[in-house]
Coordinates of all heavy atoms in Angstrom, one line a residue:
M1 N 0.8 -1.2 0.1 CA 0.0 0.0 0.0 C 0.9 1.2 0.0 O 1.5 1.5 1.0 CB -0.9 0.0 1.2 CG -1.9 -1.3 1.3 SD -3.0 -1.2 2.6 CE -1.9 -1.7 3.9
P2 N 1.0 1.9 -1.1 CA 1.9 3.0 -1.2 C 1.7 4.2 -0.3 O 2.5 5.1 -0.1 CB 1.8 3.4 -2.7 CG 0.5 2.9 -3.2 CD 0.2 1.7 -2.3
W3 N 0.5 4.4 0.3 CA 0.2 5.4 1.1 C 0.5 5.2 2.6 O 0.5 6.2 3.4 CB -1.4 5.8 1.1 CG -2.2 4.6 1.4 CD1 -2.6 4.1 2.7 CD2 -2.7 3.7 0.5 NE1 -3.3 3.0 2.6 CE2 -3.5 2.7 1.3 CE3 -2.8 3.5 -1.0 CZ2 -4.2 1.7 0.6 CZ3 -3.5 2.6 -1.4 CH2 -4.2 1.6 -0.7
T4 N 1.0 4.0 2.8 CA 1.5 3.7 4.3 C 2.8 4.4 4.5 O 3.6 4.7 3.6 CB 1.4 2.3 4.6 OG1 2.3 1.7 3.7 CG2 0.1 1.7 4.4
G5 N 3.1 4.4 5.7 CA 4.5 4.9 6.2 C 4.3 6.4 6.6 O 3.3 7.0 6.6
K6 N 5.5 6.9 7.0 CA 5.5 8.3 7.6 C 5.6 9.3 6.5 O 6.4 9.2 5.6 CB 6.8 8.4 8.5 CG 6.8 9.8 9.3 CD 7.9 9.8 10.2 CE 7.8 11.2 10.9 NZ 8.7 11.3 12.1
K7 N 4.7 10.2 6.5 CA 4.7 11.3 5.5 C 4.9 12.6 6.3 O 4.4 12.7 7.3 CB 3.4 11.4 4.8 CG 2.9 10.0 4.2 CD 3.9 9.6 3.1 CE 3.4 8.2 2.5 NZ 4.3 7.5 1.8
N8 N 5.7 13.5 5.5 CA 6.0 14.8 6.2 C 5.6 15.8 5.3 O 5.8 15.8 4.0 CB 7.5 15.0 6.6 CG 7.9 14.1 7.6 OD1 7.3 14.1 8.7 ND2 8.8 13.2 7.4
G9 N 4.9 16.9 5.7 CA 4.6 18.0 5.0 C 3.3 17.9 4.3 O 2.8 16.8 3.9
R10 N 2.6 19.0 3.9 CA 1.4 18.9 3.2 C 1.4 18.2 1.9 O 0.5 17.4 1.6 CB 1.0 20.4 3.0 CG -0.2 20.6 2.2 CD -0.5 22.0 1.8 NE -0.8 22.8 3.0 CZ -1.8 23.5 3.1 NH1 -2.7 23.6 2.3 NH2 -2.0 24.2 4.3
N11 N 2.5 18.4 1.1 CA 2.5 17.7 -0.3 C 2.5 16.2 -0.2 O 1.9 15.5 -0.9 CB 3.6 18.2 -1.1 CG 3.4 19.7 -1.5 OD1 2.2 20.1 -1.5 ND2 4.5 20.4 -1.8
E12 N 3.4 15.6 0.8 CA 3.5 14.2 0.9 C 2.1 13.7 1.5 O 1.7 12.5 1.0 CB 4.6 13.8 2.0 CG 6.0 14.0 1.3 CD 7.1 13.5 2.2 OE1 6.7 12.7 3.3 OE2 8.2 13.8 1.9
V13 N 1.4 14.3 2.4 CA 0.2 13.9 2.9 C -0.9 13.9 1.8 O -1.7 12.9 1.6 CB -0.3 14.7 4.1 CG1 -1.7 14.3 4.6 CG2 0.7 14.5 5.2
I14 N -0.8 14.9 1.0 CA -1.8 15.0 -0.1 C -1.7 13.8 -1.1 O -2.7 13.2 -1.5 CB -1.8 16.3 -0.8 CG1 -2.3 17.4 0.1 CG2 -2.5 16.4 -2.1 CD1 -2.1 18.8 -0.4
V15 N -0.4 13.6 -1.4 CA -0.2 12.5 -2.3 C -0.6 11.1 -1.7 O -1.3 10.3 -2.4 CB 1.3 12.4 -2.6 CG1 1.7 11.1 -3.4 CG2 1.7 13.6 -3.5
A16 N -0.4 10.9 -0.4 CA -0.8 9.7 0.2 C -2.3 9.5 0.3 O -2.8 8.5 -0.1 CB -0.2 9.6 1.6
L17 N -3.0 10.6 0.5 CA -4.5 10.5 0.5 C -5.0 10.3 -0.8 O -6.0 9.6 -1.0 CB -5.0 11.8 1.2 CG -4.7 11.9 2.8 CD1 -5.2 13.3 3.3 CD2 -5.3 10.8 3.5
R18 N -4.5 11.0 -1.8 CA -4.9 10.7 -3.2 C -4.8 9.2 -3.5 O -5.6 8.7 -4.3 CB -4.2 11.7 -4.1 CG -4.8 13.0 -4.1 CD -4.1 13.9 -5.1 NE -4.7 15.2 -5.1 CZ -4.1 16.4 -5.4 NH1 -2.8 16.3 -5.9 NH2 -4.7 17.6 -5.3
Q19 N -3.6 8.6 -3.2 CA -3.4 7.2 -3.5 C -4.4 6.4 -2.7 O -4.9 5.4 -3.4 CB -1.9 6.9 -3.1 CG -0.9 7.4 -3.9 CD 0.5 7.2 -3.4 OE1 0.7 7.2 -2.2 NE2 1.4 6.8 -4.3
L20 N -4.6 6.6 -1.6 CA -5.7 5.9 -0.8 C -7.0 6.0 -1.4 O -7.7 5.0 -1.6 CB -5.7 6.4 0.6 CG -6.8 5.9 1.6 CD1 -6.7 4.4 1.8 CD2 -6.7 6.7 2.8
I21 N -7.4 7.1 -1.8 CA -8.8 7.4 -2.4 C -8.8 6.7 -3.7 O -9.8 6.0 -4.1 CB -9.1 8.9 -2.4 CG1 -9.2 9.4 -1.1 CG2 -10.2 9.1 -3.4 CD1 -9.2 11.0 -1.0
S22 N -7.8 6.8 -4.5 CA -8.0 6.3 -5.9 C -7.9 4.7 -5.9 O -8.3 4.1 -6.9 CB -6.8 6.8 -6.8 OG -5.4 6.2 -6.4
A23 N -7.4 4.1 -4.8 CA -7.4 2.6 -4.8 C -8.8 2.0 -4.4 O -9.0 0.8 -4.5 CB -6.4 2.2 -3.7
H24 N -9.8 2.8 -4.0 CA -11.1 2.4 -3.7 C -12.2 3.1 -4.4 O -12.0 4.3 -4.9 CB -11.2 2.7 -2.2 CG -10.2 2.0 -1.3 ND1 -9.1 2.7 -0.9 CD2 -10.1 0.7 -0.9 CE1 -8.3 1.9 -0.2 NE2 -8.9 0.6 -0.1
N25 N -13.3 2.3 -4.5 CA -14.4 2.8 -5.1 C -15.2 3.7 -4.0 O -16.0 3.1 -3.3 CB -15.3 1.8 -5.7 CG -16.6 2.2 -6.3 OD1 -16.9 3.4 -6.2 ND2 -17.3 1.4 -7.0
T26 N -15.0 5.0 -4.0 CA -15.5 5.8 -3.0 C -17.0 5.9 -2.9 O -17.6 6.2 -2.0 CB -14.9 7.2 -3.0 OG1 -15.1 7.8 -4.3 CG2 -13.4 7.1 -2.7
A27 N -17.6 5.6 -4.1 CA -19.1 5.6 -4.1 C -19.7 4.6 -3.2 O -20.9 4.6 -2.8 CB -19.6 5.5 -5.6
E28 N -18.9 3.5 -2.9 CA -19.4 2.5 -2.1 C -18.9 2.5 -0.7 O -19.1 1.6 0.2 CB -19.0 1.1 -2.7 CG -19.7 0.9 -4.0 CD -19.4 -0.5 -4.7 OE1 -19.0 -1.4 -3.9 OE2 -19.6 -0.6 -5.8
D29 N -18.2 3.6 -0.3 CA -17.6 3.7 1.1 C -18.8 3.7 2.1 O -19.8 4.1 1.9 CB -16.9 5.0 1.3 CG -15.6 5.1 0.7 OD1 -15.0 4.0 0.2 OD2 -14.8 6.1 0.6
D30 N -18.4 3.0 3.3 CA -19.4 2.9 4.3 C -18.6 3.1 5.6 O -17.9 2.2 6.2 CB -20.0 1.5 4.3 CG -21.0 1.2 5.5 OD1 -21.4 2.2 6.1 OD2 -21.1 -0.1 5.8
F31 N -18.7 4.3 6.2 CA -17.9 4.6 7.4 C -18.9 4.7 8.6 O -20.0 5.4 8.5 CB -17.2 5.9 7.3 CG -15.9 5.9 6.5 CD1 -16.0 6.0 5.0 CD2 -14.8 5.5 7.0 CE1 -14.9 6.0 4.3 CE2 -13.6 5.5 6.3 CZ -13.7 5.7 4.8
E32 N -18.5 4.1 9.7 CA -19.2 4.2 11.0 C -18.3 4.8 12.0 O -17.2 4.3 12.2 CB -19.7 2.7 11.5 CG -20.6 2.1 10.5 CD -20.7 0.6 11.1 OE1 -20.7 0.3 12.3 OE2 -21.1 -0.1 10.3
M33 N -18.7 5.9 12.6 CA -17.8 6.5 13.6 C -18.4 6.1 15.0 O -19.7 6.4 15.2 CB -17.9 8.0 13.5 CG -17.0 8.5 12.3 SD -16.8 10.2 12.2 CE -18.3 10.7 11.4
D34 N -17.7 5.3 15.9 CA -18.2 4.8 17.1 C -18.0 5.8 18.1 O -18.8 6.0 19.0 CB -17.5 3.5 17.3 CG -17.8 2.4 16.4 OD1 -18.9 2.4 15.8 OD2 -16.9 1.6 16.1
H35 N -16.7 6.5 18.2 CA -16.4 7.5 19.3 C -15.6 8.5 18.7 O -14.8 8.3 17.8 CB -15.5 6.7 20.3 CG -16.2 5.5 20.9 ND1 -17.2 5.5 21.8 CD2 -16.0 4.2 20.6 CE1 -17.5 4.3 22.2 NE2 -16.8 3.5 21.4
I36 N -15.9 9.7 19.2 CA -15.1 11.0 18.9 C -14.8 11.6 20.2 O -15.6 11.9 21.1 CB -16.1 12.0 18.0 CG1 -16.5 11.4 16.8 CG2 -15.3 13.2 17.8 CD1 -17.5 12.1 16.0
F37 N -13.5 11.9 20.3 CA -12.9 12.5 21.5 C -12.2 13.8 21.1 O -11.5 13.9 20.2 CB -11.9 11.6 22.1 CG -12.4 10.3 22.6 CD1 -12.3 9.1 21.8 CD2 -13.0 10.1 23.8 CE1 -12.8 8.0 22.2 CE2 -13.6 9.0 24.2 CZ -13.5 7.9 23.4
I38 N -12.5 14.8 21.8 CA -11.8 16.3 21.6 C -11.3 16.6 22.9 O -12.1 16.7 23.9 CB -12.8 17.2 21.0 CG1 -13.4 16.6 19.6 CG2 -12.1 18.5 20.8 CD1 -14.6 17.5 19.1
D39 N -10.0 17.1 22.9 CA -9.4 17.6 24.0 C -8.5 18.8 23.6 O -7.4 18.6 23.2 CB -8.6 16.6 24.8 CG -7.9 17.1 26.1 OD1 -8.2 18.2 26.5 OD2 -7.0 16.4 26.5
G40 N -9.0 20.0 23.7 CA -8.3 21.2 23.2 C -7.9 21.1 21.8 O -9.0 20.9 20.9
K41 N -6.6 21.1 21.4 CA -6.5 21.0 20.0 C -6.3 19.6 19.4 O -5.9 19.4 18.3 CB -5.1 21.8 19.7 CG -3.9 21.4 20.3 CD -2.7 22.2 19.9 CE -1.4 21.6 20.6 NZ -0.3 22.4 20.2
E42 N -6.5 18.7 20.2 CA -6.4 17.2 19.9 C -7.7 16.6 19.7 O -8.6 16.9 20.4 CB -5.6 16.4 20.9 CG -4.2 16.9 21.2 CD -3.3 16.8 20.1 OE1 -3.3 15.7 19.4 OE2 -2.5 17.7 19.9
A43 N -7.9 15.7 18.7 CA -9.1 15.0 18.4 C -8.8 13.6 18.1 O -7.8 13.4 17.3 CB -10.0 15.8 17.5
A44 N -9.6 12.7 18.3 CA -9.5 11.3 17.8 C -10.9 10.8 17.4 O -12.0 11.1 18.1 CB -8.9 10.4 18.9
V45 N -11.0 10.0 16.4 CA -12.1 9.3 16.0 C -11.8 7.8 15.8 O -10.8 7.4 15.2 CB -12.6 9.9 14.5 CG1 -13.8 9.2 14.0 CG2 -12.8 11.4 14.6
F46 N -12.8 7.1 16.4 CA -12.7 5.5 16.3 C -13.8 5.1 15.5 O -15.0 5.7 15.7 CB -12.6 5.0 17.6 CG -11.4 5.2 18.4 CD1 -11.3 6.4 19.1 CD2 -10.3 4.4 18.6 CE1 -10.2 6.8 19.8 CE2 -9.3 4.7 19.2 CZ -9.2 5.9 20.0
G47 N -13.7 4.0 14.6 CA -14.8 3.5 14.0 C -14.5 2.3 13.0 O -13.5 1.7 13.3
K48 N -15.4 2.2 12.0 CA -15.1 1.1 11.1 C -15.3 1.6 9.7 O -16.2 2.5 9.4 CB -16.2 0.0 11.3 CG -16.0 -0.7 12.6 CD -17.2 -1.7 12.8 CE -17.2 -2.1 14.3 NZ -17.8 -1.1 15.1
A49 N -14.4 1.2 8.8 CA -14.3 1.7 7.4 C -14.7 0.5 6.5 O -14.1 -0.5 6.5 CB -13.0 2.2 7.0
G50 N -15.8 0.7 5.8 CA -16.2 -0.3 4.8 C -15.8 0.3 3.4 O -16.2 1.4 3.0
R51 N -15.1 -0.5 2.7 CA -14.5 0.0 1.4 C -14.6 -1.1 0.3 O -14.7 -2.3 0.7 CB -13.1 0.6 1.5 CG -12.9 1.5 2.7 CD -11.8 2.3 2.5 NE -12.3 3.5 1.8 CZ -11.5 4.6 1.7 NH1 -10.3 4.7 2.2 NH2 -12.0 5.6 0.9
T52 N -14.4 -0.7 -0.9 CA -14.4 -1.6 -2.0 C -13.0 -1.3 -2.8 O -12.9 -0.1 -3.3 CB -15.7 -1.6 -3.0 OG1 -16.7 -1.7 -2.2 CG2 -15.5 -2.5 -4.1
V53 N -12.3 -2.4 -3.0 CA -11.0 -2.1 -3.8 C -11.4 -2.0 -5.2 O -12.1 -2.8 -5.8 CB -10.0 -3.3 -3.6 CG1 -8.8 -3.1 -4.3 CG2 -9.8 -3.5 -2.1
T54 N -10.9 -0.9 -5.9 CA -11.2 -0.6 -7.3 C -10.7 -1.8 -8.2 O -11.4 -2.2 -9.1 CB -10.6 0.7 -7.7 OG1 -11.0 1.8 -6.9 CG2 -10.9 1.1 -9.1
E55 N -9.5 -2.1 -8.0 CA -8.8 -3.1 -9.0 C -9.4 -4.5 -8.9 O -9.6 -5.1 -9.9 CB -7.3 -3.2 -8.6 CG -6.6 -4.0 -9.6 CD -5.1 -3.9 -9.4 OE1 -4.5 -2.8 -9.1 OE2 -4.4 -5.0 -9.2
T56 N -9.9 -5.0 -7.7 CA -10.4 -6.3 -7.6 C -11.8 -6.4 -7.3 O -12.5 -7.5 -7.5 CB -9.6 -7.1 -6.3 OG1 -10.0 -6.4 -5.2 CG2 -8.2 -7.1 -6.6
G57 N -12.5 -5.3 -6.8 CA -13.9 -5.3 -6.5 C -14.1 -5.9 -5.1 O -15.3 -6.1 -4.6
K58 N -13.1 -6.3 -4.4 CA -13.3 -7.0 -3.1 C -13.7 -5.8 -2.1 O -13.2 -4.7 -2.1 CB -11.8 -7.5 -2.6 CG -11.9 -8.1 -1.2 CD -10.6 -8.5 -0.8 CE -10.7 -9.2 0.6 NZ -9.5 -9.6 1.2
K59 N -14.7 -6.3 -1.2 CA -15.2 -5.4 -0.2 C -14.7 -5.9 1.1 O -14.5 -7.0 1.4 CB -16.8 -5.5 -0.2 CG -17.4 -4.9 -1.5 CD -18.9 -5.1 -1.4 CE -19.4 -4.7 -2.8 NZ -20.5 -3.7 -2.6
F60 N -14.4 -4.8 1.9 CA -13.9 -5.2 3.3 C -14.4 -4.1 4.3 O -14.8 -3.0 3.9 CB -12.5 -5.3 3.3 CG -11.7 -4.0 3.0 CD1 -11.3 -3.2 4.0 CD2 -11.4 -3.7 1.7 CE1 -10.7 -1.9 3.7 CE2 -10.8 -2.5 1.3 CZ -10.4 -1.6 2.4
K61 N -14.5 -4.5 5.6 CA -14.8 -3.6 6.6 C -13.7 -3.8 7.7 O -13.5 -4.9 8.2 CB -16.2 -3.8 7.2 CG -16.6 -2.6 8.1 CD -18.1 -2.7 8.0 CE -18.6 -1.2 8.3 NZ -19.9 -1.0 8.1
E62 N -13.1 -2.7 8.1 CA -12.0 -2.8 9.1 C -12.1 -1.7 10.2 O -12.6 -0.5 9.9 CB -10.6 -2.7 8.5 CG -10.4 -1.4 7.8 CD -9.0 -1.4 6.9 OE1 -8.5 -2.4 6.9 OE2 -8.8 -0.4 6.4
P63 N -11.6 -1.9 11.5 CA -11.6 -0.9 12.4 C -10.6 0.2 12.0 O -9.5 -0.2 11.5 CB -11.3 -1.6 13.7 CG -10.9 -3.0 13.3 CD -11.3 -3.2 12.0
F64 N -10.7 1.4 12.4 CA -9.8 2.4 12.3 C -9.7 3.4 13.5 O -10.7 3.6 14.2 CB -9.9 3.2 10.9 CG -11.1 4.2 11.1 CD1 -11.0 5.4 11.4 CD2 -12.4 3.7 10.6 CE1 -12.2 6.3 11.5 CE2 -13.5 4.6 10.7 CZ -13.4 5.8 11.1
C65 N -8.7 4.1 13.6 CA -8.5 5.3 14.5 C -7.8 6.3 13.8 O -6.8 6.1 13.1 CB -7.8 4.8 15.7 SG -7.4 6.2 16.8
M66 N -8.3 7.5 13.9 CA -7.6 8.7 13.3 C -7.4 9.8 14.4 O -8.3 10.1 15.2 CB -8.4 9.3 12.2 CG -8.5 8.5 11.0 SD -9.5 9.2 9.6 CE -8.3 10.2 9.0
R67 N -6.2 10.2 14.5 CA -5.9 11.1 15.6 C -5.5 12.5 14.9 O -4.7 12.5 13.9 CB -4.7 10.9 16.4 CG -4.4 11.9 17.5 CD -3.3 11.5 18.4 NE -3.0 12.6 19.3 CZ -2.0 12.5 20.2 NH1 -1.3 11.4 20.3 NH2 -1.9 13.6 20.9
F68 N -6.0 13.7 15.3 CA -5.8 15.0 14.6 C -5.3 15.9 15.6 O -5.6 16.0 16.8 CB -7.0 15.6 14.1 CG -7.8 14.7 13.1 CD1 -8.8 13.7 13.6 CD2 -7.6 14.7 11.7 CE1 -9.5 13.0 12.7 CE2 -8.3 14.0 10.9 CZ -9.3 13.1 11.3
T69 N -4.3 16.8 15.1 CA -3.9 17.9 15.9 C -4.4 19.1 15.1 O -4.1 19.2 13.9 CB -2.4 18.0 16.2 OG1 -2.0 16.9 16.9 CG2 -2.1 19.3 16.9
I70 N -5.1 20.0 15.7 CA -5.6 21.1 14.9 C -5.1 22.5 15.5 O -5.3 22.7 16.7 CB -7.2 21.2 14.8 CG1 -7.6 19.8 14.3 CG2 -7.7 22.3 14.1 CD1 -9.1 19.5 14.5
E71 N -4.5 23.3 14.7 CA -4.0 24.6 15.1 C -4.3 25.6 14.1 O -4.2 25.5 12.9 CB -2.4 24.5 15.2 CG -2.0 23.5 16.3 CD -0.5 23.4 16.3 OE1 0.1 23.0 15.2 OE2 0.1 23.5 17.4
N72 N -4.9 26.8 14.6 CA -5.4 27.9 13.7 C -6.3 27.4 12.6 O -6.3 27.8 11.4 CB -4.2 28.6 13.1 CG -3.2 29.2 14.1 OD1 -3.7 29.7 15.2 ND2 -2.0 29.0 14.0
G73 N -7.2 26.4 13.0 CA -8.2 25.9 12.0 C -7.6 25.0 10.9 O -8.4 24.6 10.1
L74 N -6.4 24.5 11.1 CA -5.8 23.7 10.1 C -5.3 22.3 10.8 O -4.9 22.3 11.9 CB -4.6 24.3 9.5 CG -4.9 25.5 8.7 CD1 -3.5 26.1 8.3 CD2 -5.8 25.2 7.4
I75 N -5.5 21.2 10.1 CA -4.9 20.0 10.7 C -3.4 20.1 10.4 O -2.9 20.1 9.3 CB -5.6 18.8 9.9 CG1 -7.0 18.7 10.1 CG2 -4.8 17.5 10.3 CD1 -7.7 17.7 9.3
T76 N -2.7 20.0 11.6 CA -1.2 20.1 11.5 C -0.5 18.7 11.7 O 0.6 18.6 11.3 CB -0.6 21.1 12.5 OG1 -1.1 20.7 13.8 CG2 -1.1 22.5 12.2
K77 N -1.3 17.8 12.3 CA -0.8 16.4 12.4 C -1.9 15.4 12.2 O -3.1 15.7 12.7 CB -0.2 16.1 13.7 CG 1.2 16.9 14.1 CD 1.7 16.5 15.4 CE 2.9 17.3 15.7 NZ 3.4 17.1 17.0
L78 N -1.7 14.3 11.5 CA -2.6 13.3 11.4 C -2.1 12.0 11.5 O -1.0 11.7 10.9 CB -3.2 13.5 9.9 CG -4.1 12.3 9.4 CD1 -5.4 12.2 10.2 CD2 -4.4 12.5 8.0
L79 N -2.6 11.2 12.3 CA -2.2 9.8 12.5 C -3.4 8.9 12.1 O -4.4 8.9 12.7 CB -1.7 9.5 13.9 CG -1.3 8.0 14.2 CD1 -0.2 7.6 13.6 CD2 -1.2 7.9 15.8
M80 N -3.2 8.0 11.1 CA -4.2 7.1 10.7 C -3.8 5.6 11.0 O -2.7 5.3 10.5 CB -4.4 7.3 9.2 CG -4.9 8.6 8.8 SD -5.2 8.8 6.9 CE -5.7 7.2 6.4
L81 N -4.6 5.0 11.8 CA -4.4 3.6 12.1 C -5.5 2.7 11.6 O -6.6 3.1 11.9 CB -4.1 3.4 13.6 CG -3.0 4.2 14.2 CD1 -3.1 4.1 15.7 CD2 -1.7 3.8 13.7
E82 N -5.2 1.6 11.0 CA -6.3 0.7 10.6 C -5.9 -0.7 10.7 O -4.7 -1.1 10.6 CB -6.7 0.9 9.1 CG -5.6 0.9 8.1 CD -6.0 1.3 6.6 OE1 -7.0 2.1 6.5 OE2 -5.3 0.9 5.8
D83 N -6.8 -1.6 10.9 CA -6.5 -3.1 11.1 C -6.8 -3.8 9.8 O -8.0 -4.2 9.6 CB -7.4 -3.6 12.2 CG -6.9 -5.1 12.5 OD1 -6.1 -5.6 11.9 OD2 -7.4 -5.6 13.5
S84 N -5.8 -3.9 8.9 CA -6.1 -4.3 7.6 C -6.3 -5.9 7.5 O -6.5 -6.5 6.5 CB -5.0 -3.9 6.6 OG -3.8 -4.3 7.0
R85 N -6.1 -6.6 8.7 CA -6.2 -8.0 8.8 C -7.7 -8.4 8.9 O -7.9 -9.6 9.0 CB -5.3 -8.5 9.9 CG -3.9 -8.4 9.6 CD -3.0 -8.9 10.7 NE -1.7 -9.3 10.1 CZ -1.0 -10.3 10.5 NH1 -1.4 -11.0 11.6 NH2 0.2 -10.6 10.0
Q86 N -8.5 -7.5 9.2 CA -10.0 -7.9 9.4 C -10.6 -8.5 8.2 O -10.4 -8.2 7.1 CB -10.7 -6.7 9.8 CG -10.3 -6.2 11.2 CD -10.7 -7.1 12.3 OE1 -11.8 -7.6 12.4 NE2 -9.9 -7.3 13.2

């Protein structure tokens, strides 16, 4: 998965997110957000992501967690974790 690994700076993150999006049929996305936590400039979202792989048509649903740091109205840090073994 080319979007995995540590990315630094706006441009690297944009490239990684575009790769992630283009690998899936977004019209069939099914996201469930189970928990949202906010503490000052930090936020975290836990849930399940249902996606369909564009190349194979395979559907899957996996748990995920995203942590955000928000400063001056902009996301300055993003951590995406998913359990792709599901």
Side-chain angles (χ1 to χ4, degrees):
M1 296 181 286
W3 54 85
T4 61
K6 186 174 182 173
K7 308 297 181 199
N8 291 304
R10 177 186 292 239
N11 291 336
E12 286 187 17
V13 172
I14 288 170
V15 168
L17 291 174
R18 284 184 178 152
Q19 289 173 321
L20 173 65
I21 291 167
S22 69
H24 300 97
N25 180 349
T26 57
E28 297 183 18
D29 281 355
D30 174 25
F31 285 88
E32 297 174 26
M33 289 186 278
D34 299 327
H35 303 285
I36 299 172
F37 300 96
I38 301 171
D39 182 15
K41 64 181 184 175
E42 303 294 325
V45 177
F46 294 80
K48 294 174 196 73
R51 309 205 87 171
T52 303
V53 179
T54 301
E55 189 173 308
T56 64
K58 181 181 177 184
K59 295 180 184 229
F60 63 93
K61 193 155 202 167
E62 63 187 5
F64 74 88
C65 172
M66 296 178 76
R67 179 180 177 182
F68 304 89
T69 302
I70 302 168
E71 298 175 304
N72 300 318
L74 298 173
I75 298 171
T76 57
K77 290 183 185 175
L78 170 64
L79 174 65
M80 294 173 41
L81 304 170
E82 56 188 23
D83 185 354
S84 59
R85 293 184 153 206
Q86 292 288 319

